[in-house]
Amino acid sequence: MSSIKFLCRQLQRAIWGLGFFMLSYPVYGQESTADTSLLGEPGIIGTIILGGMIVIVAAFIATYKVITLLKKSNENRQIKKWAYLKELIINLGKEDLKRTISERKASKKCSLENLKFPNLTDPIEEKVKYALIHLEHPEIDQLLFQKAERLNYQLEGTELGSNLEPTDSRGLVITQTKEISNPIYDEKQDSADRIVADQDLVKIVLAYIGSSVFWLLFGTFIGVLLGVKFILPDLDGLPFLSFGRIRPVHTNSVFWGWTSLAMIGLGYFTVARTSNTKIFSLRWAWIALVLINTAVATGSISLMMGVNNGGGEYREYIWPIMSIFAIGLILTFANFYKMVANRTTEEIYVSNWYIFGACIWTLVLSIIGYLPFYQEGLGETIIQGYYMHQGVGMWFMTFTLGLIYYYLPSTLNKPIYSYSLGILAFWTQMLFYTLIGTHHFVFSPIPWWLQTVAIVFSAGMFIPVFAGTTNFLLTMKGSFSQIGRSYVLPFMLVGVVFYFIGSVQGSFQAFRFTNFVWHFTDFNVAHSHMTMYGIVSFFLWGCIYALIPKLIGKRPNQLLVGIHFWLSFIGLLAYTFALMVGGTAKGLSWIEGAPFIESVTLMVPYWLWRAIGGSFMFFGHIVFWYNIHQVYKGWKELKRPVESNELIPL
């Protein structure tokens, strides 16, 4: 144990050293111009390397899946052979059995893999003789002995009745009855793999997840429509479907609808289990669900009608609508807080640190983002950078990381690798993420020192990213073979990989030269999907597939889960790589001084791949909806209420 703590301390020191080393780099040599070699810049080189890592991970997962399928196919063939031989043994008569056993003792056995059966037209005695005499299998002798015992068995005459009292030593029988109208068997316990959980908690979780799935389908359908409009701009002439109106509908519905509701639903289970308590107020939870759904629905309608907050990205909802969401979030945070305050455990688990931090920061963020009196001119620009980046990093990313600190180890049935690394990642996230928003406005008229602070703190994000990624991967260590047998772990692995790649690439993009090439291009759209989709959505899907079947007692079809995974993953790769390459070409076109229309023309093939990738992702979401729908259909209430002292944390 002491050696593990020593290694953790050394790793923390190494991360801190790397982080402080990187802090000084972005400020150095930042006077880059168009004459600077594109492949000579560390931000560009790092992004290319990170892109290669994505391809390697995709190949790694695909290889594991193919190997597992081949192994399973071979196992199925062996199982069929073995099942056939077992059937032959069952059909043996007494004389055939005696002859087979005696001849088997004198034979030289061979393995099942090398065994070849005679033609099916041969008599049964010959097939049995050939197979059972020449087969080397650990269970053959046992089965032959059991068959001999069965043939020699004699009734004792007391089998149909006795004076013994019926017993249920293994607790398999729920109820017993002597009524004639009832079946002749007693009702048995449900053997489904179900978590013993408070049914009020189960209903809350399922309601939030169900609502989030609806907004995922709605929001990404709008996203596909947007992608098609890039290549078919004259698709329709309806004002409420114009690009400028439905683009914020897409981002806000997937942000505040799909992602937020899914996080909160999973968060209720996480906080309750890690605190070993019940939901403090069911009423607050249901009211918050109604409020958040109302905010997203009315916000989407108002945006389509042209009523919005102006130029603030991700804050297009007008303040009366966003205040509805904020009230729902306040009730949610109060519920979480009281659950942790009423915990029966001594420590506050690290997941709750992240969840609390996300809720508190988002409430502060909403107030700052919607207070208008100091948002004039460049002040509004600075607040926009703060709000936009904080929304992604301090609400979605921080909350989701809190979830993964619970669901990843519970799925693997092992503890998180290092609690200390988790705390280090938490506090450095709180420190560095708060001042990086203005790296979106490098080379703008805002103060140069403020731009530099944003770049330095962006580089500082290497520390929580390295700490978190190390923690997750070392927790997975020894469990990567499960990738071939389960799709929960691949979702989480992709989320961890994109957490590292997307976050590090974002820090690279904060450098002045990479900003010079990529900012205001489609590259930023690729980066945002790499993080919000590749990290947050894949993490949420992994958590949902890990939790919901255990709450309900019914698992989705693994083939359909695999289809969802590969459609979403391949779609994301097509989407991001196309826009990264196209965005780079567009940025270089601007640097060269080419007419703007040329940059539009050169993006057409990349926009086509954007639409194709987005369609793949949307079809994956339809499969996800079907999987959840089928699991929900199999939900049955538990037969009895669960007492609070039965709630044992996973």
Side-chain angles (χ1 to χ4, degrees):
M1 197 64 173
S2 60
S3 61
I4 294 177
K5 291 182 179 178
F6 174 77
L7 290 174
C8 289
R9 286 196 299 269
Q10 297 304 315
L11 181 59
Q12 291 174 20
R13 291 171 182 171
I15 292 172
W16 276 106
L18 177 63
F20 284 117
F21 172 77
M22 292 302 297
L23 286 180
S24 62
Y25 178 79
V27 187
Y28 175 75
Q30 292 298 322
E31 299 295 332
S32 300
T33 65
D35 297 329
T36 305
S37 173
L38 190 66
L39 295 179
E41 288 295 321
I44 303 292
I45 296 173
T47 299
I48 294 173
I49 294 174
L50 294 172
M53 291 175 61
I54 297 174
V55 177
I56 292 172
V57 170
F60 171 76
I61 296 175
T63 301
Y64 253 108
K65 287 294 179 183
V66 171
I67 292 174
T68 302
L69 288 175
L70 293 176
K71 286 183 178 179
K72 188 173 182 180
S73 176
N74 182 59
E75 288 173 359
N76 288 338
R77 287 196 299 270
Q78 301 303 320
I79 289 171
K80 288 180 180 178
K81 282 185 179 182
W82 180 233
Y84 176 63
L85 290 177
K86 289 175 70 174
E87 184 178 355
L88 291 179
I89 295 174
I90 292 173
N91 293 328
L92 280 175
K94 184 174 291 188
E95 295 301 322
D96 289 332
L97 179 66
K98 289 180 180 179
R99 185 175 68 251
T100 299
I101 292 176
S102 61
E103 293 182 4
R104 174 176 171 79
K105 290 179 179 179
S107 70
K108 183 180 180 181
K109 306 177 187 66
C110 67
S111 66
L112 182 63
E113 290 79 2
N114 299 325
L115 179 63
K116 296 182 179 179
F117 294 108
N119 295 327
L120 293 178
T121 56
D122 293 343
I124 182 68
E125 291 81 4
E126 293 300 319
K127 286 188 288 183
V128 171
K129 180 178 179 180
Y130 182 88
L132 299 183
I133 290 175
H134 295 280
L135 175 64
E136 182 178 0
H137 195 282
E139 295 185 29
I140 273 291
D141 293 321
Q142 180 183 356
L143 289 172
L144 289 171
F145 177 73
Q146 290 175 353
K147 176 65 176 179
E149 278 192 328
R150 294 189 189 103
L151 290 176
N152 294 325
Y153 180 74
Q154 297 291 330
L155 292 175
E156 296 179 0
T158 61
E159 285 78 12
L160 299 181
S162 72
N163 58 357
L164 299 176
E165 291 292 330
T167 61
D168 180 26
S169 59
R170 298 188 178 182
L172 299 177
V173 178
I174 298 177
T175 57
Q176 224 176 303
T177 181
K178 296 182 179 179
E179 296 180 11
I180 299 176
S181 60
N182 274 326
I184 61 174
Y185 55 86
D186 292 318
E187 187 177 2
K188 302 297 190 298
Q189 294 279 11
D190 184 8
S191 61
D193 183 15
R194 177 185 286 169
I195 295 174
V196 178
D198 180 7
Q199 284 300 288
D200 291 328
L201 173 63
V202 173
K203 291 176 183 178
I204 287 292
V205 173
L206 296 183
Y208 274 86
I209 299 298
S211 299
S212 73
V213 175
F214 168 79
W215 290 116
L216 174 66
L217 289 178
F218 172 78
T220 51
F221 172 77
I222 297 296
V224 172
L225 181 60
L226 288 167
V228 173
K229 280 178 174 286
F230 271 99
I231 54 178
L232 297 173
D234 297 327
L235 181 64
D236 61 70
L238 301 173
F240 67 92
L241 291 180
S242 61
F243 185 92
R245 293 192 183 184
I246 63 174
R247 196 270 177 179
V249 172
H250 163 65
T251 55
N252 285 276
S253 58
V254 295
F255 274 26
W256 314 120
W258 146 243
T259 310
S260 297
L261 287 172
M263 292 190 314
I264 293 172
L266 294 166
Y268 267 113
F269 186 84
T270 302
V271 176
R273 297 294 276 194
T274 56
S275 302
N276 200 24
T277 187
K278 292 185 176 182
I279 293 180
F280 174 74
S281 173
L282 291 170
R283 181 180 176 83
W284 289 0
W286 287 112
I287 291 175
L289 177 63
V290 172
L291 290 174
I292 294 174
N293 276 296
T294 301
V296 180
T298 55
S300 299
I301 294 172
S302 69
L303 291 176
M304 291 177 126
M305 294 175 61
V307 179
N308 58 65
N309 192 41
E313 191 173 14
Y314 308 152
R315 52 176 176 162
E316 290 90 350
Y317 289 170
I318 58 177
W319 71 264
I321 293 176
M322 199 60 187
S323 63
I324 298 174
F325 181 92
I327 295 172
L329 183 57
I330 291 171
L331 292 175
T332 301
F333 172 65
N335 234 347
F336 288 162
Y337 178 83
K338 294 296 293 185
M339 289 161 68
V340 173
N342 296 335
R343 70 188 184 278
T344 58
T345 58
E346 182 178 353
E347 298 290 339
I348 298 177
Y349 186 61
V350 64
S351 291
N352 298 329
W353 288 50
Y354 281 87
I355 292 172
F356 276 21
C359 291
I360 293 172
W361 270 111
T362 305
L363 290 172
V364 173
L365 177 66
S366 299
I367 295 172
I368 293 175
Y370 276 85
L371 284 179
F373 61 84
Y374 53 82
Q375 298 190 38
E376 298 292 340
L378 290 177
E380 183 179 8
T381 301
I382 295 171
I383 293 301
Q384 172 56 31
Y386 172 81
Y387 176 90
M388 175 176 57
H389 219 93
Q390 292 285 90
V392 173
M394 300 306 290
W395 172 235
F396 301 111
M397 194 66 67
T398 302
F399 200 119
T400 308
L401 289 173
L403 296 176
I404 211 67
Y405 268 102
Y406 171 78
Y407 287 100
L408 177 61
S410 66
T411 300
L412 297 175
N413 197 26
K414 61 171 71 170
I416 196 71
Y417 172 76
S418 171
Y419 200 90
S420 299
L421 281 177
I423 299 301
L424 170 66
F426 172 78
W427 284 113
T428 49
Q429 173 107 350
M430 296 298 105
L431 171 64
F432 290 115
Y433 219 111
T434 54
L435 289 175
I436 67 177
T438 48
H439 73 209
H440 285 275
F441 301 103
V442 174
F443 299 118
S444 70
I446 67 174
W448 188 261
W449 68 266
L450 191 56
Q451 300 176 36
T452 302
V453 167
I455 296 170
V456 170
F457 275 63
S458 297
M461 281 300 298
F462 284 126
I463 298 175
V465 171
F466 275 61
T469 304
T470 301
N471 218 0
F472 298 145
L473 291 179
L474 290 179
T475 303
M476 291 182 179
K477 184 181 178 181
S479 303
F480 288 107
S481 59
Q482 297 183 25
I483 290 175
R485 299 190 295 270
S486 168
Y487 272 103
V488 172
L489 187 57
F491 275 108
M492 293 185 175
L493 176 60
V494 169
V496 170
V497 170
F498 271 101
Y499 172 58
F500 175 77
I501 292 174
S503 301
V504 172
Q505 191 277 319
S507 295
F508 285 152
Q509 197 171 337
F511 295 177
R512 284 197 169 95
F513 179 81
T514 46
N515 249 276
F516 187 57
V517 176
W518 286 331
H519 201 48
F520 301 119
T521 71
D522 295 70
F523 195 101
N524 293 280
V525 182
H527 172 73
S528 63
H529 282 76
M530 187 186 300
T531 52
M532 281 299 299
Y533 194 87
I535 305 173
V536 176
S537 289
F538 272 83
F539 271 157
L540 291 177
W541 286 324
C543 296
I544 290 171
Y545 280 129
L547 175 64
I548 299 302
K550 292 182 179 179
L551 289 182
I552 295 177
K554 179 180 179 182
R555 298 186 178 279
N557 183 289
Q558 285 298 290
L559 175 61
L560 292 178
V561 177
I563 292 174
H564 168 210
F565 173 82
W566 286 110
L567 283 175
S568 300
F569 191 28
I570 293 173
L572 176 62
L573 294 182
Y575 190 106
T576 54
F577 276 98
L579 293 187
M580 288 168 72
V581 174
T584 303
K586 177 187 281 189
L588 293 176
S589 172
W590 293 348
I591 291 173
E592 292 171 358
F596 179 79
I597 192 62
E598 289 188 12
S599 67
V600 176
T601 304
L602 68 84
M603 282 300 301
V604 172
Y606 303 107
W607 285 335
L608 175 61
W609 278 106
R610 169 190 176 137
I612 293 172
S615 299
F616 268 70
M617 294 150 74
F618 178 67
F619 292 143
H621 303 163
I622 294 177
V623 178
F624 170 61
W625 164 82
Y626 180 80
N627 290 337
I628 296 300
H629 174 69
Q630 290 301 105
V631 173
Y632 274 37
K633 281 177 59 178
W635 180 37
K636 294 180 180 179
E637 293 281 355
L638 293 177
K639 301 296 183 181
R640 58 180 177 79
V642 180
E643 301 297 333
S644 59
N645 58 7
E646 293 182 280
L647 297 178
I648 303 173
L650 290 178

